[in-house]
Structure formats: C-alpha cells, structure tokens
Amino acid sequence: MEDPRSGNRKEHKLIDILTIAVTATICGANKWTEMEEFGCAKQDWFSSFLELPNGIPSHDTFGRVFSMICSNTFEKCFMLWVQEVIEKIEGVVAIDGKSVRRSHGKTQGKRAIHLVSAWATENGMALVQQKVDEKSNEITAIPKILDSLVL
C-alpha cells in the first residue's frame, strides 16, 4: 500500500501507524485518541518490532492518515495480509450476524450497524466482516462473504 502523504514531513512510518491502529482496533479501540493511548501503553512491545522513529503517533496523525487512505485499497491490503498470516484455515468457518454496540444514534434517527462475520473456529480469528445494507438482512451479505473467502 502506497503512503498517501506527500512531502518530507512524515514523522511516522505508514507501517507503524497501520500496525498500531489495527492492533488497537482488535483490542477494542474505537477512536483516534484510544489508538494513541493504546500505542503509548504498549510502546515497549511495539518498539520490539516497529521502528517508531518519533514514538507513538498522535491521535491527530491517526485521523489525518486514515482520512487520506482509500478504504477499498486498505481493505484489499488487509485481506492479503490476513491470507498470508493464516497459511491454512482448518475446521469450521462459522458465519454469524451481530449488531455493533453503540452504533445507533436514536436522536439522529440512525439505526445500529449490522455485520455478518466469517469466523475460523480453530484459528480463532475473524476472516471477513460484511456490513449488512440498512434495508436488507444477513442472508444478502453471506454470498459476498463466501466469494471473498478462499477455502
């Protein structure tokens, strides 16, 4: 994935920003400030395999970089990375739908976000998540998930 930032003022490596953000998200971070806090709390661990030339990026850096990244490109790169990490998926792949906690906005009339996930039970990780269209149901997301998996 190419770095979307231009110029010489890149204090943090893109791979460092992405690694901290993905790890923080897996551990429950939902906001840029939470990603920064998570990075600071785990800085010694991140330093063992990331360069971190200027320490942990600020929450503003996370927000700025992710606002420049094409979400489709990021998703494709992330999926390629996941496929490399898991050499072989064994056992059952469970498909299940869930509503994302606190994703609704009753005062704004926003409905909760619904996701359908494919979970490799023996590998212990989610392989794919697909957002369900607001006026649809889980069944419409399942073919998209199955198409994206190489089983």
Side-chain angles (χ1 to χ4, degrees):
M1 183 168 163
E2 287 190 33
D3 194 334
R5 301 171 292 169
S6 62
N8 299 347
R9 207 166 173 277
K10 298 178 192 172
E11 295 181 20
H12 303 281
K13 294 183 155 232
L14 181 62
I15 190 66
D16 294 353
I17 295 168
L18 296 176
T19 301
I20 295 167
V22 168
T23 307
T25 301
I26 290 169
C27 292
N30 294 316
K31 301 175 186 172
W32 307 127
T33 53
E34 293 172 348
M35 289 180 188
E36 178 184 7
E37 290 169 7
F38 180 83
C40 290
K42 304 291 184 186
Q43 187 165 0
D44 290 343
W45 180 68
F46 282 122
S47 296
S48 70
F49 59 93
L50 297 176
E51 291 185 29
L52 301 174
N54 292 299
I56 300 297
S58 71
H59 63 278
D60 290 328
T61 300
F62 283 111
R64 189 171 40 256
V65 170
F66 274 90
S67 72
M68 291 185 235
I69 291 174
C70 171
S71 61
N72 290 335
T73 303
F74 178 78
E75 180 182 14
K76 287 176 187 173
C77 290
F78 184 78
M79 291 302 295
L80 288 172
W81 174 74
V82 168
Q83 288 173 0
E84 287 181 22
V85 170
I86 296 183
E87 294 177 12
K88 183 179 178 189
I89 298 168
E90 296 180 357
V92 175
V93 175
I95 297 179
D96 189 24
K98 298 285 183 203
S99 294
V100 179
R101 289 181 59 195
R102 296 187 213 122
S103 63
H104 68 286
K106 289 182 182 178
T107 57
Q108 296 92 8
K110 294 170 85 177
R111 299 176 71 185
I113 296 171
H114 299 287
L115 297 174
V116 176
S117 302
W119 179 263
T121 57
E122 288 186 30
N123 298 83
M125 72 178 292
L127 303 172
V128 179
Q129 284 189 326
Q130 177 71 43
K131 182 178 175 185
V132 177
D133 293 329
E134 195 168 310
K135 295 183 179 182
S136 184
N137 62 34
E138 295 175 5
I139 294 172
T140 61
I142 293 172
K144 294 176 185 175
I145 286 178
L146 294 176
D147 287 343
S148 66
L149 293 173
V150 180
L151 300 175

